[in-house]
Amino acid sequence: MSKIDFNALRDRAYKCACAHGFHNTELINEHFLCLVISELMEAVEADRKNRRFDKEKHKLGEYADCQGWLTTEEKFINVFNRYIKDTVEDELSDAVIRLLDLAGSLDISLDDIYDLTNEPEYKDWDYVLKEMSFTERMFFLTSILTEDRDIAEVIKASIVTIFLNADLLHIDLLWHIEHKMRYNELRENKHGKKY
């Protein structure tokens, strides 16, 4: 996992969630963790449907002539919806963004997230995860999210594990998170959903 400013990502995710009404009512941590789990299950569905990001098609879509009349924002949304939305990469990004938002709402610093990768518990995870199927890895992540331990530890361990999963799948997760955050910033209140 390359060096990432997780606190900057946390602040951006939380700011966007607040601006879109996700924090208008006080909700417990389990509400947010359940939504993370729902994103992981959407990743499973995307995997079952073999919905993966195709970088070459995305590049072609960005420069397609038929989109020349669109504004920059409309073009971005159109291309995102056609080539990124509802892919495994998109859903894993959503899971991380929800974790970042929760960290922001609880004012949890993510400065020490890299320290986790040096702890004995996490050193073996890369090997263990390689031996699992995609669904088994998503179930493993769900078990981390439902552990009865400090919420900061749960958030950090989950983020690290999602990034490890992305690495196993050769996904540039940071690129996808940044694109999904931009997409989310352009969406309507609560992204058109109840919560």
Side-chain angles (χ1 to χ4, degrees), residues 79-92:
V79 170
F80 189 96
N81 283 331
R82 289 167 116 191
Y83 302 104
I84 301 174
K85 186 99 174 86
D86 301 327
T87 61
V88 170
E89 295 84 350
D90 182 44
E91 303 305 346
L92 292 177

Side-chain angles (χ1 to χ4, degrees), residues 178-194:
E178 289 170 343
H179 277 71
K180 188 58 180 256
M181 285 183 164
R182 180 176 175 204
Y183 180 79
N184 286 345
E185 289 164 353
L186 299 171
R187 296 172 82 179
E188 69 273 21
N189 192 56
K190 292 187 182 172
H191 303 169
K193 298 177 183 173
K194 182 178 173 182

Side-chain angles (χ1 to χ4, degrees), residues 27-192:
L27 300 163
I28 61 173
N29 296 341
E30 288 77 8
H31 167 86
F32 295 101
L33 294 174
C34 185
L35 293 176
V36 174
I37 291 169
S38 76
E39 300 297 352
L40 297 176
M41 294 308 100
E42 288 176 10
V44 169
E45 280 302 306
D47 186 59
R48 290 180 70 204
K49 294 174 183 175
N50 203 28
R51 295 242 337 129
R52 294 294 304 270
F53 173 70
D54 185 322
K55 192 174 187 174
E56 292 308 311
K57 284 183 181 177
H58 178 261
K59 279 183 187 177
L60 290 173
E62 283 186 317
Y63 301 106
D65 292 338
C66 64
Q67 297 173 30
W69 54 272
L70 299 173
T71 67
T72 303
E73 287 181 353
E74 289 169 329
K75 182 177 174 181
F76 174 81
I77 290 168
N78 188 19
V79 170
F80 189 96
N81 283 331
R82 289 167 116 191
Y83 302 104
I84 301 174
K85 186 99 174 86
D86 301 327
T87 61
V88 170
E89 295 84 350
D90 182 44
E91 303 305 346
L92 292 177
S93 299
D94 283 338
V96 173
I97 291 167
R98 288 200 176 275
L99 289 163
L100 293 167
D101 170 42
L102 180 56
S105 72
L106 298 172
D107 198 28
I108 294 171
S109 174
L110 302 175
D111 282 336
D112 62 345
I113 202 163
Y114 291 101
D115 297 342
L116 285 181
T117 57
N118 295 323
E119 290 182 17
E121 177 184 355
Y122 296 93
K123 283 192 183 249
D124 296 333
W125 281 17
D126 192 39
Y127 172 76
V128 171
L129 290 171
K130 283 179 186 174
E131 300 301 313
M132 294 179 181
S133 69
F134 184 80
T135 52
E136 290 168 336
R137 290 195 304 266
M138 295 303 104
F139 182 80
F140 177 67
L141 266 160
T142 302
S143 70
I144 294 170
L145 289 161
T146 57
E147 286 181 356
D148 185 22
R149 63 177 174 163
D150 179 67
I151 189 67
E153 291 177 26
V154 169
I155 291 169
K156 292 172 190 177
S158 298
I159 291 171
V160 166
T161 307
I162 294 170
F163 269 88
L164 287 172
N165 273 284
D167 288 347
L168 288 173
L169 297 168
H170 309 289
I171 294 171
D172 182 352
L173 193 55
L174 180 59
W175 184 91
H176 284 280
I177 289 169
E178 289 170 343
H179 277 71
K180 188 58 180 256
M181 285 183 164
R182 180 176 175 204
Y183 180 79
N184 286 345
E185 289 164 353
L186 299 171
R187 296 172 82 179
E188 69 273 21
N189 192 56
K190 292 187 182 172
H191 303 169

